[in-house]
């Protein structure tokens, strides 16, 4: 891996945000809006339910962490789409960059976007609702890392599918994370799911992370087993996603589709 | 003086489903040579170019560039190769300078700003350097793409209809500049165009492809004589119309 190639692509994507209001909205406005809407919903629900302990923290924590997962997936797949829309993939892949360098560059782009979006959400959650996500403490770090990795795995699979299927698969870049949301136990515990879906949720890293978050917020400590499950599943899925991408990249080259992506 | 070829293609074939896009072609390209790839639509020019750029994997055959197997040495080879096409763009939201800096970094160009300034000057494009690519005319974009293709001082340049959207003045200047770079640096150029006069003017040798096979190869006048045509355009029309 050559750092100058990775840096070149990171800079290419960051240039996009210099003078594009819609792209800046993607980073700052939508996360902010998400937080405000969910914050008001939470306040409204707490009035009905009386004083449900940690209710605000559960929901706002879930909103912030879900956004991290969502943004890390989008950081890869939308950046890939930007190259496709600009008809720039050909220029990139006739350069000496390798697919793994390309993916690594987009991972770094996703981290930059994620840090900016998370900073906005964390700041306004604290300002508007007095919710300090850092109260979760040191446990927050492995939770976030796992969500980012799951987002990346989804992002890589999405990129591979867009590469193979072309523009008709673009919608996946926005929708794929939401396919997993019902079984990710973001806003409710896994126990409310029917038995079959509970089994499915067991194979979704995010469900272990959100269960862990609720355990920490409710003061029952961080269940290490949840973290071990999430990490093991994530490493498996990330490896699988990379293998899938490489295999698919080969198929796309065999079929002569690489030069046609975006047409 | 006989030199080692920079490109060696042996028995190259590409089959898409049941269609033979390229059928058992073999050729060489030598240092400092401009090789024109000519043929009607569907002749296999683009597929051949894509295989030479490692974008498409051949069904069978061998591609060696700088004496190295392309598939095994993709990264090393592509470092010294570049490509430009009228049909490939650059990120529209970025300025010309931003785009060129990105590609200069991608190819690991030393002193990128000096190199870019020199090429902008050569292509008379200094006035567009701070403009977003989306605000440029198609001719200006083509020139910027050519600058990008020369950033890394490539030993081999693959050009797919590089002057297709240029006005005659800029197209002529571009051809002269490419010839000058070729003379000064000994760069090899593989060139496709539908402009037959341009092919005659630019190419040291021509490969005529039809239905995926090489039907003629040689100096432009040799190819012309082979088909008893009055010009390359005449030859092209005879082949395209199956006369």
């Amino acid at each position: 891996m050559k750092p100058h190639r990775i840096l070149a692509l990171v800079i290419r994507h960051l240039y996009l945000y210099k003078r594009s209001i819609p792209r800046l909205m993607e980073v700052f406005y939508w996360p902010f809006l998400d937080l405000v809407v969910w914050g008001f919903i939470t306040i409204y629900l707490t009035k009905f339910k009386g004083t449900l302990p940690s209710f605000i923290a559960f929901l706002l924590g879930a909103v912030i962490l879900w956004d991290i997962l969502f943004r890390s997936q989008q950081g890869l797949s939308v950046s890939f789409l930007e190259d496709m829309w600009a008809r720039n993939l050909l220029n990139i892949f006739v350069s000496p960059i390798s697919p793994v360098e390309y993916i690594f560059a987009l991972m770094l782009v996703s981290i930059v976007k994620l840090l900016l979006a998370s900073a906005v959400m964390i700041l306004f959650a604290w300002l508007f609702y007095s919710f300090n996500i850092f109260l979760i403490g040191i446990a927050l770090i492995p939770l976030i890392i796992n969500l980012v990795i799951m987002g990346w795995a989804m992002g890589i699979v999405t990129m591979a599918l867009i590469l193979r299927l072309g523009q008709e698969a673009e919608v996946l870049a926005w929708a794929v994370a939401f396919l997993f949301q019902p079984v990710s136990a973001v806003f409710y515990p896994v126990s409310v799911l029917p038995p079959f879906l509970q089994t499915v949720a067991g194979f979704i890293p995010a469900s272990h992370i959100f269960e862990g978050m609720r355990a920490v917020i409710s003061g029952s400590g961080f269940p290490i087993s949840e973290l071990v499950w999430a990490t093991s599943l994530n490493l498996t899925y990330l490896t699988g996603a990379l293998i899938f991408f490489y295999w698919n990249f080969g198929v796309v080259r065999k079929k002569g589709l690489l030069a046609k992506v975006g047409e | 003086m006989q030199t080692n070829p920079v490109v060696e293609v042996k028995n190259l074939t590409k089959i898409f489903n049941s269609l033979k896009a390229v059928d058992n072609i073999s050729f060489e390209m030598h240092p400092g040579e401009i090789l024109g790839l000519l043929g009607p639509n569907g002749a296999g020019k683009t597929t051949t170019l894509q295989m030479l750029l490692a974008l498409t994997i051949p069904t069978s055959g061998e591609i060696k560039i700088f004496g190295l197997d392309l598939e095994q040495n993709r990264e090393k080879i592509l470092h010294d190769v570049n490509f430009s096409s009228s049909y490939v763009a650059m990120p529209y939201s970025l300025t010309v300078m931003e785009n060129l800096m990105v590609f200069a970094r991608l190819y690991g160009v030393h002193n990128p700003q000096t190199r870019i300034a020199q090429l902008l000057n050569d292509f008379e494009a200094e006035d567009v350097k701070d403009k977003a690519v989306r605000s440029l005319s198609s001719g200006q974009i083509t020139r910027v793409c050519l600058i990008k293709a020369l950033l890394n001082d490539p030993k081999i340049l693959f050009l797919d209809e590089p002057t297709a959207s240029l006005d005659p003045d800029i197209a002529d200047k571009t051809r002269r500049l490419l010839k000058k770079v070729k003379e000064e640096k000994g760069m090899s150029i593989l060139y496709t165009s539908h402009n037959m006069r341009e092919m005659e003017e630019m190419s040291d040798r021509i490969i005529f492809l039809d239905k995926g096979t090489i039907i003629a190869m040689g100096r432009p006048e040799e190819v012309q004589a082979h088909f008893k045509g009055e010009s390359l355009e005449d030859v092209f029309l005879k082949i395209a119309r199956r006369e």
Side-chain angles (χ1 to χ4, degrees):
Chain A
M1 286 220 282
K2 302 275 187 197
H4 65 84
R5 290 183 206 145
I6 293 164
L7 186 66
L9 285 186
V10 172
I11 290 170
R12 172 260 184 279
H13 283 281
L14 296 185
Y15 273 144
L16 288 173
Y17 291 85
K18 266 175 72 177
R19 59 185 85 84
S20 170
I21 291 171
R23 287 188 180 97
L24 286 172
M25 278 175 72
E26 177 206 326
V27 173
F28 296 111
Y29 181 70
W30 299 123
F32 168 75
L33 205 69
D34 247 1
L35 186 86
V36 170
V37 170
W38 279 97
F40 285 135
I41 290 171
T42 309
I43 289 170
Y44 176 68
L45 289 174
T46 47
K47 279 181 187 165
F48 272 95
K49 294 277 181 184
T51 49
L52 193 65
S54 310
F55 198 67
I56 289 182
F58 277 176
L59 275 181
L60 291 184
V63 169
I64 292 172
L65 292 187
W66 172 256
D67 202 71
I68 287 172
L69 171 68
F70 181 58
R71 302 274 153 201
S72 64
Q73 176 258 318
Q74 280 213 328
L76 257 78
S77 38
V78 173
S79 300
F80 175 75
L81 284 178
E82 293 272 12
D83 279 326
M84 193 173 100
W85 292 328
R87 293 192 292 147
N88 192 40
L89 279 173
L90 204 62
N91 280 325
I92 290 172
F93 286 116
V94 298
S95 82
I97 200 161
S98 65
V100 75
E101 286 171 332
Y102 183 75
I103 290 172
F104 196 72
L106 297 193
M107 284 175 170
L108 292 180
V109 173
S110 86
I111 287 176
V112 174
K113 287 161 80 171
L114 196 64
L115 285 174
L116 293 170
S118 302
V120 169
M121 293 189 89
I122 290 166
L123 176 71
F124 284 101
W126 177 66
L127 283 176
F128 290 180
Y129 310 109
S130 304
F131 171 66
N132 181 1
I133 195 163
F134 295 110
L135 288 177
I136 295 177
I138 200 83
L140 190 63
I141 295 167
L143 297 180
I144 288 176
I145 291 173
N146 267 288
L147 288 171
V148 170
I149 295 173
M150 183 178 163
W152 283 346
M154 288 192 292
I156 292 167
V157 171
T158 308
M159 280 161 55
L161 291 172
I162 295 172
L163 205 54
R164 178 78 173 268
L165 303 172
Q167 288 185 334
E168 62 195 74
E170 266 186 40
V171 68
L172 289 173
W174 284 273
V176 75
F178 291 100
L179 290 176
F180 292 94
Q181 198 181 43
V183 282
S184 289
V186 184
F187 301 111
Y188 42 78
V190 171
S191 58
V192 305
L193 294 169
F196 167 69
L197 287 181
Q198 284 188 30
T199 310
V200 175
F203 290 97
I204 306 296
S207 71
H208 298 280
I209 295 303
F210 286 102
E211 290 285 75
M213 178 204 75
R214 281 185 287 272
V216 173
I217 289 174
S218 63
S220 50
F222 189 83
I224 295 293
S225 64
E226 299 282 14
L227 182 64
V228 170
W229 262 107
T231 308
S232 310
L233 287 170
N234 265 328
L235 292 177
T236 309
Y237 293 153
L238 185 65
T239 309
L242 286 168
I243 291 169
F244 179 67
F245 185 89
Y246 257 85
W247 170 76
N248 201 61
F249 193 75
V251 172
V252 165
R253 285 181 66 213
K254 269 187 195 153
K255 288 178 175 278
L257 296 174
L258 194 54
K260 293 178 183 160
V261 178
E263 283 181 3
Chain B
M1 186 179 72
Q2 187 64 39
T3 50
N4 290 328
V6 284
V7 176
E8 293 168 85
V9 171
K10 280 183 194 161
N11 309 115
L12 190 65
T13 297
K14 181 66 197 177
I15 303 171
F16 294 117
N17 298 321
S18 58
L19 174 77
K20 264 192 181 175
V22 174
D23 188 3
N24 197 32
I25 64 169
S26 301
F27 65 90
E28 290 180 349
M29 183 161 76
H30 295 275
E33 183 180 35
I34 299 185
L35 189 60
L37 208 53
L38 197 61
N41 292 335
K45 303 185 297 292
T46 305
T47 306
T48 304
L49 206 57
Q50 285 170 5
M51 286 192 281
L52 290 169
L53 286 161
L55 290 170
T56 298
I57 300 174
T59 305
S60 62
E62 190 178 88
I63 300 174
K64 279 189 177 178
I65 298 184
F66 312 128
L68 302 168
D69 179 81
L70 177 61
E71 198 55 31
Q72 304 296 320
N73 301 274
R74 179 191 168 274
E75 186 184 321
K76 193 175 179 192
I77 290 167
L78 291 182
H79 186 266
D80 291 319
V81 165
N82 215 318
F83 165 74
S84 179
S85 166
S86 323
Y87 309 109
V88 177
M90 280 186 170
Y92 290 126
S93 319
L94 273 62
T95 67
V96 168
M97 193 66 184
E98 287 168 349
N99 265 305
L100 294 174
M101 283 299 289
V102 166
F103 284 102
R105 286 195 180 98
L106 207 49
Y107 283 92
V109 175
H110 296 294
N111 300 321
Q113 295 201 325
T114 313
R115 179 78 183 134
I116 292 168
Q118 178 203 333
L119 287 166
L120 285 169
N121 179 52
D122 289 347
F123 279 86
E124 299 176 20
E126 294 109 320
D127 55 327
V128 299
K129 71 172 180 168
D130 295 319
K131 288 186 178 172
V133 170
R134 73 155 62 84
S135 69
L136 305 184
S137 68
S138 57
Q140 286 170 325
I141 292 174
T142 302
R143 271 190 284 165
V144 173
C145 288
L146 280 168
I147 293 173
K148 171 248 143 189
L150 292 169
L151 277 173
N152 60 327
D153 217 351
K155 293 185 180 118
I156 304 174
L157 189 55
F158 294 103
L159 299 175
D160 188 15
E161 301 197 39
T163 59
S165 54
L166 300 179
D167 69 48
D169 175 45
I170 297 293
D172 180 61
K173 283 178 180 164
T174 302
R175 285 192 291 271
R176 285 168 196 267
L177 196 65
L178 288 170
K179 278 190 158 186
K180 187 176 154 224
V181 175
K182 179 211 128 175
E183 296 299 331
E184 287 175 1
K185 309 270 183 182
M187 184 171 67
S188 310
I189 303 175
L190 191 116
Y191 203 98
T192 77
S193 173
H194 282 122
N195 181 337
M196 297 302 120
R197 284 184 59 192
E198 180 172 284
M199 284 302 242
E200 278 179 273
E201 183 194 329
M202 288 292 287
S203 309
D204 298 309
R205 277 193 310 139
I206 280 175
I207 293 175
F208 218 118
L209 285 171
D210 187 37
K211 293 181 179 171
T213 57
I214 295 176
I215 55 169
M217 181 159 47
R219 296 205 311 274
E221 59 274 20
E222 289 172 346
V223 172
Q224 203 175 305
H226 177 81
F227 289 100
K228 299 180 177 65
E230 290 171 11
S231 63
L232 263 189
E233 186 155 348
D234 189 36
V235 172
F236 187 94
L237 291 174
K238 276 185 179 177
I239 291 166
R241 292 171 185 172
R242 316 275 167 221
E243 289 173 1

